[in-house]
Amino acid sequence: MFILFEYIIKISLSLGVVWLFYFLLLKPLTYYICNRFFLVTSSILVFFIPLLSLDFFVAPQKINASAVINSIPSINVHEAGKIFSLEDSSGNMAYVLLALLVSGVIIRSMHFFIQFRSFKKIRSKALLIEETEGIKLYHLNTDIIPFSFNNSIYINKLHHTADDLAEIIRHESVHVRQKHTIDVLIAEFICIINWYNPFAWLIKHAIKQNLEFLADDILIQNGTDKKRYQYLLLKVMGHSPLTISNSLNFSSLKNRIFMMNKTKSSKRHLLKFLFVLPVIVLMMLAFRSNDSVANGNHVSTKEESFRLSELTYSIPDPAVTMIIKREQAKSLLRVGKPFTITLIRNERDRLKMLLEKNGYHNITNHSISFLIDSSLTNNSFSVQVNIDLQTKTPSVRNNNGTQSKKSNAVMNGNNNTLYQFASLYTAGFSAPMQSYLFAWPSFHANNVNTQNLSII
């Protein structure tokens, strides 16, 4: 269940990033069409960004070897989500939180359907005045603020003069022609799913406010007298009974007048929209899973982890030794930390890339091997890293000194920890994976029956 909470946390953080980006960089701009596209598109993308894996775009070994990527801290939402899991929560906390979440979604959904039903009742009482270019104009004999929904405009023609009525219809016609109802419904959906997140409500308000800025701007550009139009907004006061519609006076009058009088933003400000791409990349990096990219401090939760008690190196070439020691701080294997097969695989790839970077090429699968000592207790292991660029394909050596060219050596001795470790993590792995894992149990002073094992 904690996977669900982890996903919810990622969505909440993403919505926060979207709103902050809009509020700090885009809201002051007069490019309302671009702002509309950003708000709607990014609000939808936040549901998919947490599902994207960084491994899909970048190879895991490149991620591990990249100093730039590893310098960006990952937000450990995995542990935050695990707090709410059944195993780690006291009592029925996970069920309580889940019930609260579902209850909020149900309440918000009921509110939406009540709004939609109220609209149906209003429409049933409305009188169709005219229909022009697919836009229907309805008269309501009630005290109602002019609003539009889908392809219809609703007004009380008795409350406005002929000139004011013409301006109102032109304003609402912009909403109808540009399908602004779709944006409003998307904003409602976001608030239904994320009712607990204040950023979802801020984004909803930003979407509806930007639509009013956009409609005002189009009217001014088409020749509407700015001052007269602003006086019209002063006269049309009140609140629309429907939150799912576009109302003439939804947004703050002060903000709308300010934006109408504001100097048009220069085209160079359009470059700010390009920052959306690095923001998305940073979000993916921050949400990168430690299950797929082991970084030395975290390992895959899908594999059983073992404690690394000792790490040694066996490197015949002094030049290679210097290269490895110089980059020792970047090693993914660290004493006192857990390790798995995935971590060993990533460390081997890191070492291979490091050697290739320093001019060594044609490194075979057997040039870098790992000898694992399983004789320690409490899942503690010692690992010896062997780097011999002249190494040929190894073979299996038994206790009697004979060699075997079999692809897999079978242990006939005790069912010790090493055998469990090797059989658990080599089953199902491809040949390239098996080719660089070496398991080597050490001999005890009390002559415990052990046997060298090489997986080729």
Side-chain angles (χ1 to χ4, degrees):
M1 187 180 294
F2 73 87
I3 296 178
L4 172 63
F5 288 106
E6 179 183 348
Y7 178 67
I8 291 173
I9 293 172
K10 287 183 178 180
I11 291 179
S12 300
L13 293 175
S14 299
L15 287 173
V17 172
V18 168
W19 184 82
L20 287 174
F21 185 87
Y22 169 77
F23 182 79
L24 296 176
L25 293 181
L26 306 183
K27 184 179 179 181
L29 305 182
T30 58
Y31 292 105
Y32 307 116
I33 295 178
C34 295
N35 285 351
R36 177 192 181 190
F37 179 79
F38 168 79
L39 286 169
V40 174
T41 304
S42 59
S43 298
I44 296 175
L45 282 178
V46 297
F47 291 92
F48 299 97
I49 290 178
L51 302 177
L52 296 177
S53 174
L54 191 63
D55 297 352
F56 182 79
F57 303 95
V58 183
Q61 59 267 28
K62 292 185 179 180
I63 297 176
N64 294 325
S66 174
V68 176
I69 293 179
N70 290 319
S71 65
I72 300 174
S74 63
I75 301 175
N76 197 359
V77 294
H78 180 84
E79 294 299 326
K82 197 171 182 179
I83 296 175
F84 305 108
S85 66
L86 294 178
E87 295 81 5
D88 298 332
S89 298
S90 58
N92 296 320
M93 178 61 68
Y95 287 120
V96 171
L97 292 175
L98 182 61
L100 180 63
L101 176 66
V102 174
S103 299
V105 172
I106 293 175
I107 293 174
R108 285 300 307 163
S109 299
M110 291 176 60
H111 179 266
F112 174 81
F113 285 112
I114 290 173
Q115 287 279 302
F116 191 75
R117 186 175 181 181
S118 298
F119 166 72
K120 288 290 187 181
K121 289 183 178 180
I122 291 175
R123 183 168 182 172
S124 64
K125 299 177 182 179
L127 176 63
L128 180 62
I129 301 175
E130 62 176 320
E131 182 176 356
T132 306
E133 298 179 355
I135 301 176
K136 297 179 180 180
L137 180 63
Y138 288 92
H139 166 70
L140 288 169
N141 193 23
T142 58
D143 186 15
I144 195 169
I145 302 300
F147 70 92
S148 61
F149 185 84
N150 198 13
N151 64 338
S152 303
I153 301 173
Y154 300 86
I155 59 172
N156 186 336
K157 63 180 182 179
L158 303 177
H159 289 180
H160 311 284
T161 65
D163 292 339
D164 291 345
L165 195 60
E167 293 293 343
I168 292 172
I169 293 174
R170 278 196 289 267
H171 175 91
E172 297 300 331
S173 295
V174 175
H175 291 307
V176 173
R177 290 192 178 96
Q178 295 198 354
K179 309 296 183 182
H180 289 178
T181 300
I182 297 176
D183 301 48
V184 175
L185 293 179
I186 291 175
E188 288 290 334
F189 172 77
I190 293 171
C191 286
I192 289 174
I193 302 299
N194 301 275
W195 60 267
Y196 51 86
N197 190 347
F199 290 110
W201 297 92
L202 290 172
I203 289 176
K204 173 186 173 181
H205 184 274
I207 289 175
K208 299 186 71 174
Q209 184 183 60
N210 183 73
L211 294 178
E212 296 303 322
F213 292 161
L214 177 57
D216 295 341
D217 184 65
I218 291 177
L219 256 65
I220 300 301
Q221 290 184 14
N222 289 338
T224 298
D225 183 78
K226 186 186 301 184
K227 186 172 293 186
R228 186 178 180 280
Y229 180 70
Q230 292 172 359
Y231 279 122
L232 172 62
L233 295 179
L234 286 172
K235 290 190 291 185
V236 182
M237 300 297 293
H239 296 282
S240 173
L242 300 176
T243 60
I244 60 174
S245 64
N246 294 288
S247 301
L248 179 67
N249 65 342
F250 163 78
S251 182
S252 167
L253 180 60
K254 180 180 178 181
N255 289 335
R256 290 174 69 176
I257 293 176
F258 174 79
M259 296 304 291
M260 277 187 273
N261 294 325
K262 187 175 182 179
T263 304
K264 294 296 181 181
S265 303
S266 62
K267 291 184 178 180
R268 63 185 177 86
H269 287 291
L270 287 172
L271 295 175
K272 292 182 179 180
F273 287 92
L274 297 179
F275 287 103
V276 173
L277 297 178
V279 168
I280 294 176
V281 172
L282 287 174
M283 290 170 62
M284 292 181 62
L285 289 175
F287 292 155
R288 65 184 183 272
S289 174
N290 291 323
D291 290 348
S292 59
V293 183
N295 57 17
N297 294 323
H298 303 281
V299 294
S300 174
T301 56
K302 296 179 182 179
E303 298 182 77
E304 184 180 355
S305 61
F306 299 83
R307 184 69 56 181
L308 180 60
S309 61
E310 184 179 359
L311 177 64
T312 57
Y313 290 85
S314 176
I315 308 174
D317 190 339
V320 175
T321 302
M322 292 297 296
I323 295 173
I324 300 302
K325 287 186 177 181
R326 189 168 57 245
E327 300 287 340
Q328 182 61 30
K330 297 181 180 179
S331 175
L332 303 180
L333 298 177
R334 300 181 183 179
V335 175
K337 300 293 184 180
F339 77 98
T340 64
I341 289 296
T342 300
L343 198 62
I344 292 178
R345 178 186 61 191
N346 292 335
E347 173 64 6
R348 177 186 179 275
D349 292 336
R350 186 191 72 85
L351 293 174
K352 184 176 180 180
M353 292 182 65
L354 176 61
L355 293 174
E356 290 176 346
K357 181 180 178 181
N358 284 271
Y360 292 90
H361 301 287
N362 300 322
I363 302 176
T364 66
N365 288 335
H366 305 290
S367 298
I368 304 175
S369 61
F370 297 82
L371 302 183
I372 305 174
D373 183 352
S374 66
S375 63
L376 304 179
T377 58
N378 298 325
N379 281 353
S380 294
F381 288 76
S382 64
V383 174
Q384 177 178 305
V385 183
N386 297 308
I387 303 178
D388 188 353
L389 302 185
Q390 304 301 322
T391 299
K392 304 299 182 181
T393 301
S395 58
V396 177
R397 180 176 297 277
N398 296 321
N399 279 342
N400 56 11
T402 61
Q403 293 184 345
S404 172
K405 295 184 179 180
K406 294 181 179 179
S407 295
N408 294 285
V410 180
M411 292 190 67
N412 297 319
N414 295 335
N415 186 20
N416 58 15
T417 307
L418 169 64
Y419 178 71
Q420 297 172 6
F421 176 83
S423 62
L424 175 62
Y425 290 110
T426 58
F429 283 95
S430 60
M433 167 61 190
Q434 297 176 354
S435 65
Y436 62 80
L437 172 64
F438 285 75
W440 179 25
S442 64
F443 290 92
H444 289 272
N446 56 3
N447 295 323
V448 176
N449 183 20
T450 57
Q451 183 178 14
N452 290 345
L453 171 65
S454 297
I455 301 177
I456 302 172

